[in-house]
Amino acid sequence: MAINLNLDISQELNITVRRGDSMSFTVTVKDTDDDAVDLTAYNFIMDIRTSTSNKNRNDVVLSNRTGGKNRLLSSVTGSADGTLTVSASKRATNSITPGSYRFDIAAIKKSDDTEQTWFYGRFTVKEDYSTLV
C-alpha cells in the first residue's frame, strides 16, 4: 500500500490582460477552516516569465522584484483580512509583448523564512489598439 504525501498547496490562477491597461485584482486567502489568513505575516514574490526556468532572471517580463527584462515593477501586498492584492501600472503592462507567459506567486513567512508557492498559471497579454499619445 502506497502512501502519498502532497505538499503542493498552490492553486492554478490564469490571468488575461490587455497590453497597456492598468491591472489590479484581489484574491482572498483562507486556511483549511475557511478563516482568512493574516497576510501581513508574509512577504510575496511574483515573477511573470517567458519560460518555466528559474536559473536566472533573463526571461522575467514583469515582477515585483527588479532583474531580467523587467524594469517596471508590479505590486503584491497582503492585508490582515486575507486580501492579496496584485497590481501593475499601464506603463508596466505596455512593456510586455503580447503573448502567453507563465507566472507564480510565492509567500515567504517573515518569522521563519519558509517559502511556499500559493498561485501559478498562465499570464496572457492581448494586444490593445488604442492608447493616449
Side-chain angles (χ1 to χ4, degrees):
M1 180 174 167
I3 297 173
N4 296 312
L5 177 62
N6 183 356
L7 300 176
D8 181 6
I9 66 162
S10 62
Q11 297 290 308
E12 185 171 1
L13 174 66
N14 296 309
I15 301 166
T16 301
V17 300
R18 287 271 179 193
R19 183 179 188 183
D21 286 359
S22 302
M23 175 186 82
S24 182
F25 65 90
T26 61
V27 178
T28 301
V29 179
K30 296 185 177 183
D31 62 19
T32 56
D33 294 324
D34 207 33
D35 295 323
V37 175
D38 180 359
L39 300 182
T40 61
Y42 297 88
N43 290 315
F44 298 93
I45 55 174
M46 180 183 78
D47 284 339
I48 300 171
R49 296 173 173 264
T50 58
S51 73
T52 58
S53 171
N54 65 357
K55 302 282 185 217
N56 58 52
R57 298 190 53 75
N58 293 335
D59 66 340
V60 174
V61 296
L62 187 64
S63 178
N64 64 332
R65 303 176 294 160
T66 58
K69 295 178 185 176
N70 179 54
R71 300 289 180 258
L72 298 166
L73 297 178
S74 61
S75 170
V76 183
T77 58
S79 63
D81 68 357
T83 303
L84 181 71
T85 302
V86 178
S87 60
S89 70
K90 63 184 179 182
R91 194 165 161 232
T93 65
N94 196 51
S95 70
I96 305 172
T97 302
S100 183
Y101 302 90
R102 300 276 189 188
F103 86 97
D104 66 7
I105 299 172
I108 302 161
K109 198 167 193 178
K110 293 176 184 177
S111 63
D112 62 10
D113 204 37
T114 56
E115 181 175 336
Q116 277 188 310
T117 300
W118 284 2
F119 300 99
Y120 71 95
R122 290 212 173 270
F123 187 88
T124 303
V125 178
K126 292 184 173 184
E127 185 61 75
D128 202 10
Y129 305 106
S130 61
T131 185
L132 294 175
V133 179

